Amino acid sequence: MTELSRRQVILASGAVLIAAPVQARAPGEPASARSRWGLLIDTGKCSAECNVCVETCKAEMGLSGHDRPLTDAQYLRKVNVRDPATGAAHSVPVMCQHCAKPACVDVCPTGASMKRADGIVLVDRHICIGCRYCMMACPYKARSFAHEDQTGQQPYLPRGKGTVEGCTLCVHRIDEGRPPACVEACAAKARGAMLFGDLNDPKSDIAQRVAREATSRIRADLGLEPAIRYQGI
Amino acid sequence: MGGRLLVLFLLLFTLPAFAADLPHWPKAKGEACIASNEVMRRDHPDMLKHQRDDTMRLGIRGAKASLKACVECHAATDSAGKMVPVSDPGQFCQSCHAYVAVRPDCFECHATTPKSPVREASR
Ligand code: SF4
């Protein structure tokens, strides 16, 4: 059993970036800054009627609602936007943006909001006190608060009353070498609007497309450097 | 002297009668646990605490100790073949914790059966 060394904690916080070729992670090996997981979402392929990603996320994560859309836990939502000048309308899936400089991590008083070495932003709910500073700090409205006692949790996604939660980028799947559930479902049941991969790996599809094509990040002006990129908005 | 010995004898032989019934729990699925009963009984909270930080914060998977593995091995199935939560009365985790009057809060968040039915997504 390994103890958390100070160095590892710093590494896990993503403060140290090591540039090295990407390798698959062996069991027992910690997440490393060699990888930077991200998504490229093509809004041109995403229609307003389609909710496959949202429904898949809820099922995968065992999220149930209480018919209170404003406060029910939600890791992924569709945001319908319209340019008033041109009338151009888009439906945009928005989830935790897994920022390189996450505002939630900055404001969290307990260290519960954290960034893994590979850039995945998580809430350590063992130490979250439910103060919800992170919810206020997040410009993407990406976090939810569990108001009620929870039941029927999935073994890979513990969740409970009184803590904040949000999209984990399906970290349980990524650690097994599988893509996030929403990406898989969008490819299988919809139009494959999402591309998942390692932005640090120059050979990955996502890195090549990001290098080649015009992509944008929402509220890029805030400088939080999200790992979720969009095309078509 | 003789009186003291008698008291000691009485204490030793009558104590079990005062002790609460020892818990009984369903048999685990596996052959053997990851350490001896003595070690597991005393140290499982520490094992799990280290593992939780390693997994959650560093992304180290596949550690020897894991709450998920506890549940996988120790959750029983009822006569209808349905999984019974390990935190239900009389089940593995709960029977011992009730006996020693400890209420762990793991199961307020963590799954109590190896697989939860995937819920119909709420609309
Ligand atoms: S709610 Fe939890 S994760 Fe969010 S800022 Fe407070 S302690 Fe940190």
Side-chain angles (χ1 to χ4, degrees), chain A residues 205-217:
Chain A
D205 286 352
I206 188 169
Q208 289 185 0
R209 269 185 63 187
V210 164
R212 206 171 52 227
E213 296 165 29
T215 61
S216 55
R217 304 196 258 197

Side-chain angles (χ1 to χ4, degrees), chain B residues 12-29:
Chain B
L12 273 179
F13 287 98
T14 51
L15 253 186
F18 295 118
D21 284 340
L22 287 170
H24 296 279
W25 49 76
K27 209 180 158 329
K29 285 187 200 76

Side-chain angles (χ1 to χ4, degrees), chain A residues 97-128:
Chain A
Q97 302 284 302
H98 300 281
C99 305
K101 299 173 187 165
C104 54
V105 175
D106 282 350
V107 298
C108 178
T110 64
S113 279
M114 47 133 333
K115 192 174 72 164
R116 243 170 60 147
D118 55 7
I120 299 175
V121 175
L122 299 170
V123 183
D124 184 347
R125 279 166 284 166
H126 300 111
I127 57 175
C128 170

